[in-house]
Amino acid sequence: MKLSRMNGLRASAIGALVVSGALVLSACGSDNNSGTPANGEKTSAAASNIKCDGAKGQLLAAGSSAQKNAMDLWVKNFQAACSGVEVNYQAIGSGGGITKFNQGQVAFAGSDSALKEEEVAESAKICKTGKGINLPMVGGPVAIGYKLDGVDNLVLDASTIAKIFNTEIKKWNDPAIAKLNPGVKLPDTNIQAFHRSDESGTTQNLGKYLSEAAPADWKHDPKTKSWPAPGGQAANGSSGVATAVKDAEGSIGYFELSYATASKISTVKLNTGASAPVEATPENASKAIAAAKVKGTGSDMALSLDYATKAEGAYPLILVTYEIACDKGNKAETLPTLKAFLNYTVSEEGQKVLSDAGYAPLPADIATKVREIVPTLS
């Protein structure tokens, strides 16, 4: 009896979640879910307020790995609250998720970039009486990670990053890099640049940043999710790129910040034209994302981000991950579960738990609009 009472006391001693109102999220967790917290008390606390609203059966989803850890938390909490429900999210990349959505294989997709016009048109075949819409749910900084022995503080700008990934800058002691890092002893080491082999919204957001901040040096299509530049080495998923960078001396790559944090990979500070270089942090990314404008119409919440901002302390290499669903024409058998799950993820409780996985809540104005849209899905 004494042991039982002690266990009961432990179970009830759930600390209140304290989260910053800062807008952005540090970005994705690892594909192997290593960043998901094991604190069951916090997840059960969040689950206690979830409304199941007729949710039942299996809900299939796929897409962005940038929100993998967020999804793991949400799924765990939702399934704990709603008996008999299974939410299966496959982190296969944004391009793969959109493909599955437009083929009718999943109820919703996660994407680090909004649907293109042709993808919206294609979605009408599945949504039938409606179309696919973008619902922002998580976001954060994309880090430029590197491994260079003896160099713990590295500054690059959009122009040098573009030239590195275009294989125009091949050595770490190149004059362009040295100019940005006075007093730093840069080695005569070959640069090994890694990029995503799969279609990725992370790749697309990097492309948008380089296209806007260094248009003379990055002339590739900023809308493509496939890697557009010549040379370099490819790896699958953000986890694959992070692993490659961690293992190879002289390497550089791009991935969501939590991959760098989890693997203790050094990250580049960006020279944006502000008075000081800007580090990749959730707080600094929030200053850039806070200026996002809604460019979608009706129920679509696609955002326009300023990748070329020079605002003090604003980290411009950012992404926002959307959940993509039909506004109308969703399958009747999965609609109640879809709405209940998305109602939870965008709810105050759903947004609060993100901090435990290195994310932060959506800005209040955007979250409010999404909360108004999800119940209207039909």
Side-chain angles (χ1 to χ4, degrees):
M1 291 298 291
K2 288 182 180 180
L3 180 59
S4 176
R5 288 174 183 172
M6 288 175 66
N7 288 337
L9 287 172
R10 289 193 186 100
S12 62
I14 300 170
L17 289 172
V18 179
V19 269
S20 159
L23 138 43
V24 265
L25 320 89
S26 111
C28 104
S30 72
D31 292 329
N32 65 7
N33 194 29
S34 62
T36 301
N39 191 328
E41 291 184 343
K42 291 183 179 179
T43 54
S44 63
S48 65
N49 294 319
I50 294 174
K51 296 180 180 179
C52 299
D53 292 331
K56 59 182 179 179
Q58 186 179 62
L59 186 69
L60 299 180
S64 165
S65 63
Q67 64 172 1
K68 176 64 164 58
N69 277 0
M71 274 292 164
D72 287 339
L73 273 174
W74 286 331
V75 168
K76 180 178 180 179
N77 291 347
F78 190 73
Q79 291 182 167
C82 303
S83 178
V85 173
E86 179 187 355
V87 180
N88 186 337
Y89 182 82
Q90 294 180 306
I92 60 174
S94 299
I98 291 173
T99 296
K100 281 183 172 289
F101 177 75
N102 279 340
Q103 290 177 348
Q105 296 179 34
V106 294
F108 73 91
S111 176
D112 304 331
S113 58
L115 291 170
K116 300 176 184 177
E117 289 184 11
E118 57 268 30
E119 291 170 336
V120 174
E122 188 178 354
S123 72
K125 301 175 184 178
I126 296 300
C127 299
K128 300 185 184 303
T129 57
K131 62 181 180 181
I133 57 172
N134 304 283
L135 300 173
M137 205 65 69
V138 294
V142 177
I144 301 294
Y146 69 97
K147 182 177 182 180
L148 198 59
D149 286 348
V151 180
D152 299 321
N153 188 7
L154 183 68
V155 176
L156 297 176
D157 59 13
S159 176
T160 56
I161 293 170
K163 290 176 180 177
I164 286 171
F165 282 116
N166 271 327
T167 65
E168 296 169 25
I169 293 179
K170 302 178 185 294
K171 294 278 189 176
W172 277 110
N173 62 351
D174 187 277
I177 300 177
K179 184 178 180 180
L180 291 165
N181 296 273
V184 177
K185 187 176 181 180
L186 296 166
D188 183 28
T189 302
N190 290 329
I191 295 175
Q192 298 190 62
F194 290 90
H195 58 263
R196 291 278 291 266
S197 61
D198 53 323
E199 287 200 343
S200 164
T202 311
T203 295
Q204 187 183 58
N205 280 278
L206 174 64
K208 288 179 179 179
Y209 162 69
L210 295 175
S211 293
E212 291 190 25
D217 301 302
W218 192 260
K219 298 181 180 180
H220 307 289
D221 179 6
K223 295 182 180 180
T224 182
K225 293 186 179 72
S226 300
W227 184 250
Q233 302 177 61
N236 187 62
S238 289
S239 61
V241 175
T243 298
V245 169
K246 182 179 181 180
D247 292 344
E249 175 63 17
S251 61
I252 189 169
Y254 60 95
F255 30 78
E256 293 74 30
L257 179 60
S258 66
Y259 287 102
T261 302
S263 298
K264 298 181 179 180
I265 297 172
S266 298
T267 60
V268 167
K269 291 181 180 178
L270 296 181
N271 182 331
T272 64
S275 62
V278 186
E279 187 177 356
T281 67
E283 295 77 17
N284 291 341
S286 72
K287 296 175 183 177
I289 298 179
K293 306 294 183 183
V294 178
K295 66 179 180 179
T297 59
S299 297
D300 187 79
M301 286 286 292
L303 302 176
S304 177
L305 304 173
D306 182 4
Y307 296 94
T309 181
K310 296 180 180 180
E312 294 296 325
Y315 184 85
L317 180 44
I318 48 179
L319 62 75
V320 170
T321 297
Y322 302 91
E323 311 313 337
I324 295 169
C326 297
D327 57 353
K328 299 177 182 178
N330 289 283
K331 294 179 180 179
E333 60 269 27
T334 57
L335 180 60
T337 308
L338 171 67
K339 292 171 68 173
F341 182 67
L342 294 183
N343 272 326
Y344 164 58
T345 63
V346 78
S347 70
E348 184 176 350
E349 291 296 329
Q351 291 291 303
K352 277 183 179 180
V353 301
L354 294 177
S355 62
D356 292 321
Y359 298 88
L362 287 172
D365 57 340
I366 293 177
T368 297
K369 291 177 182 177
V370 178
R371 287 169 189 157
E372 293 171 351
I373 293 169
V374 172
T376 69
L377 301 180
S378 62

